Amino acid sequence: MADSTGDGHKDRPRACAYCNRSKTKCIWPREPGDGSCQRCTRLKRPCSMPENGERRRRGPSTRVGHLEEKIDGIMSLLNASRGLQQLATPPSTNPSPPSLTTEREIPSRPIFQELAISNASHSVLALEARSLDIVPGFPLTVNEADTILNLYRSDYSPKFPFVPIGSEITALELFESRPFVFRVIAQMIAPQNATTQREVAQWVRQHIAKHVIAQQERRMELLQGLLLYIGWANQFNFCIDFGGTTLFSVLVGMALEAGLNRPVKLRNQTSSQFLDEARRVKGFRARAPHTLEDMRVILGVFYLNSIATSLFYHMPMLPYSAYLDTCRKAVESAAEYESDEFLSILVRMQSLACRMHYMFQNPEMDGSEPVELTGSLHMAIATTRRELEALWEETPARVRASCMFDLCYKGILVRLYEPVIYMNPSSTILITGALAGGAWRSEALWFCLEAAKRFLVGYQNTAEDQIPYLPCQVFSYFSFTLVTATRLLSLSDSDWNQAEARRVMNFHETTRQLSEHLNRADRLAAAGARKIRCTDDGSSFLSVSADKLRWIGAWYLSKEGPADEMHQLQPPGADGCAVAMDVDPMMSFSSTGFDNVWWEGLLGGDFSVGQATAQGS
């Protein structure tokens, strides 16, 4: 009897039917067949023991039979893959590639040449290698995904530290637990052509529309993925083009609906007993206390929102409240990641920049009348400047040495003094103290010009291999600084010496050097092994920006003086000859007309110098 029991135990299969067919390790919580194995439990599928007839006897097998077994296992995993359920793109006429495929089906990419399998003897290993679909037609192997995730940790997350990924998490684990976050990270870094970039952008919108709006899902990974997608957008053009602000509005709305901007109420707090009782009767669950992950997300939402609002005036400001400051301090004190210190510094600087948005109204945006620089406003600017300088002093030297801190700090200084441009000159102020107001305004305008010059020099000194991989806030400050500089150099009133300003800042030479800097950065990016940001027509984003900088320099020369001065200031080209520009030297742009051409030309449209000439008066 004992022998019979032992034989039965020996013949009992150790793997369930699914793991047995998939040739994967089957882990049971207790005895085999008692409950569900760990893999079936995680994938939420029925778990059953195989019948005796399902067990195959070992024997001689051909190569074809061996490959058929491998393909059967891969197809079984494909049908149960939870990642495919996240894809929101409807099926096209051509069948999309499977979520699990072979490495030889993946197009060759320079970053992964060492992973390519060209030897026929490795074909069986290639069939066993799992790959992950970013979007249909854009797969990555597990090895490629691990490489991308490591690049994100080392080069991308420190610059935009609101969604860090721990080193203990593998790419496959991240894909299974937070597939949308992984897909956004992959599209940020993996090499891809312009067509694929457009398809990814379309897929992101469809995915958000399906899961957030249609299915009303409230998952943290959706909020984190959308935060990363906006933070690493090719450009901040959704603040210029109203059609792109939809994603931004969804991002802010999701954060507010999740209650991340306010503390979780404890049960012993009785300020809203009636509302709490109504929620309990309706079956609403009490919100769990916010984690550090939640706090980083709401701080990231505030950071992007404040930049878009204070620089472009396209949406309401998410206020920096006492609770957000509590979140910042909690993240900084916990120091869970090395980048948390930089996160705290970025948020502190941006909260100071928000003061300018609250104190000064932009007459071009809200239709208000220009104001004068009174003593109270002058004191507020000076106080904010001292707080920024104090923050700079207490920032560790290793953080100050980074290009991200340097450019963000100098960009905020430009934003601090920029509202003074729209204020009334002292000659129009018929009140006591007009002389003092004029002196204050002249000083503030000069500080603004000085800050703009420092920012542009800092951008030019940024390493060329870093320029292609900077997040959107740097480009936002770059665009804002260029616009502010042109306003200052074109400003003519009693509080400003335009000739002295143009002598201090040689704007044409600055734009020429920046254009060359972007071209060199573009060539380095093309020779590298990461994603090259492209425009809709397939051109490199850096190359297009360099061309538009040259156009801005040509516009400035046409506005600065007559043709003979324009010819004298015109720098030689790369071949030693003068650069030809199709510009009417006597044309003039109004301030408003230039703004339209500027924003659409630099960030949105594809304007040439000839088109700009047609818009001049």
Side-chain angles (χ1 to χ4, degrees), residues 235 475 479 482 545 548-549 552 597-604:
Q235 44 187 311
F475 183 79
S479 304
L482 283 174
S545 299
K548 291 175 179 178
L549 278 171
I552 294 169
V597 175
W598 164 269
W599 288 117
E600 296 178 1
L602 181 62
L603 296 177

Side-chain angles (χ1 to χ4, degrees), residues 266-382:
L266 301 178
R267 291 188 176 181
N268 57 359
Q269 294 177 341
T270 59
S271 59
S272 302
Q273 286 184 343
F274 181 80
L275 181 59
D276 294 339
E277 184 66 18
R279 288 179 174 272
R280 187 188 65 79
V281 172
K282 285 292 186 179
F284 288 101
R285 295 181 179 179
R287 290 191 175 100
H290 293 157
T291 64
L292 293 177
E293 187 178 47
D294 299 336
M295 295 178 181
R296 291 190 192 92
V297 168
I298 187 58
L299 291 173
V301 173
F302 159 76
Y303 185 72
L304 285 184
N305 173 265
S306 60
I307 291 177
T309 303
S310 61
L311 299 186
F312 305 111
Y313 297 90
H314 262 225
M315 60 195 67
M317 173 75 76
L318 177 64
Y320 187 72
S321 61
Y323 180 67
L324 289 186
D325 194 61
T326 301
C327 293
R328 179 194 64 78
K329 293 177 181 177
V331 171
E332 182 182 17
S333 60
E336 184 179 4
Y337 296 94
E338 186 177 352
S339 59
D340 285 343
E341 181 181 34
F342 184 51
L343 181 151
S344 176
I345 294 172
L346 282 178
V347 173
R348 287 181 63 186
M349 287 195 300
Q350 198 58 38
S351 65
L352 293 175
C354 289
R355 293 184 186 177
M356 298 302 102
H357 180 79
Y358 295 130
M359 288 188 299
F360 299 100
Q361 300 298 323
N362 189 326
E364 294 188 354
M365 297 298 175
D366 57 15
S368 60
E369 293 294 329
V371 298
E372 62 272 6
L373 184 60
T374 61
S376 60
L377 294 179
H378 178 263
M379 184 180 298
I381 294 177

Side-chain angles (χ1 to χ4, degrees), residues 91-338:
S92 58
T93 54
N94 297 325
S96 61
S99 178
L100 306 175
T101 181
T102 64
E103 282 189 4
R104 58 186 176 184
E105 293 174 351
I106 300 174
S108 177
R109 290 181 287 274
I111 190 173
F112 307 123
Q113 284 181 353
E114 69 275 8
L115 302 176
I117 297 179
S118 57
N119 195 333
S121 62
H122 294 165
S123 59
V124 176
L125 296 177
L127 285 170
E128 294 178 352
R130 180 178 180 181
S131 68
L132 313 173
D133 256 343
I134 307 307
V135 298
F138 182 20
L140 294 174
T141 66
V142 174
N143 290 335
E144 294 174 345
D146 285 330
T147 302
I148 287 175
L149 188 57
N150 290 332
L151 281 174
Y152 173 77
R153 292 190 184 103
S154 61
D155 295 352
Y156 290 76
S157 182
K159 297 183 178 70
F160 191 77
F162 299 100
V163 187
I165 305 296
S167 58
E168 72 281 358
I169 301 177
T170 65
L172 184 57
E173 292 173 344
L174 182 62
F175 178 79
E176 292 178 345
S177 60
R178 290 182 285 176
F180 184 57
V181 172
F182 174 79
R183 288 186 169 101
V184 171
I185 292 175
Q187 67 84 28
M188 287 163 42
I189 304 173
Q192 56 204 272
N193 56 32
T195 301
T196 303
Q197 292 184 32
R198 289 193 297 269
E199 292 174 354
V200 169
Q202 181 68 16
W203 178 86
V204 168
R205 292 179 179 276
Q206 292 177 348
H207 187 85
I208 291 297
K210 174 183 177 181
H211 291 273
V212 177
I213 299 176
Q215 299 180 359
Q216 297 185 358
E217 297 180 13
R218 300 296 181 262
R219 290 184 281 117
M220 179 56 63
E221 68 139 341
L222 294 173
L223 192 53
Q224 289 178 322
L226 189 55
L227 179 64
L228 283 177
Y229 182 77
I230 296 176
W232 289 95
N234 287 4
Q235 44 187 311
F236 230 15
N237 61 350
F238 48 81
C239 292
I240 310 303
D241 178 12
F242 279 100
T245 56
T246 305
L247 284 182
F248 212 115
S249 301
V250 171
L251 174 70
V252 177
M254 290 174 63
L256 297 180
E257 187 172 310
L260 299 181
N261 63 321
R262 60 182 184 273
V264 176
K265 186 180 301 181
L266 301 178
R267 291 188 176 181
N268 57 359
Q269 294 177 341
T270 59
S271 59
S272 302
Q273 286 184 343
F274 181 80
L275 181 59
D276 294 339
E277 184 66 18
R279 288 179 174 272
R280 187 188 65 79
V281 172
K282 285 292 186 179
F284 288 101
R285 295 181 179 179
R287 290 191 175 100
H290 293 157
T291 64
L292 293 177
E293 187 178 47
D294 299 336
M295 295 178 181
R296 291 190 192 92
V297 168
I298 187 58
L299 291 173
V301 173
F302 159 76
Y303 185 72
L304 285 184
N305 173 265
S306 60
I307 291 177
T309 303
S310 61
L311 299 186
F312 305 111
Y313 297 90
H314 262 225
M315 60 195 67
M317 173 75 76
L318 177 64
Y320 187 72
S321 61
Y323 180 67
L324 289 186
D325 194 61
T326 301
C327 293
R328 179 194 64 78
K329 293 177 181 177
V331 171
E332 182 182 17
S333 60
E336 184 179 4
Y337 296 94
E338 186 177 352

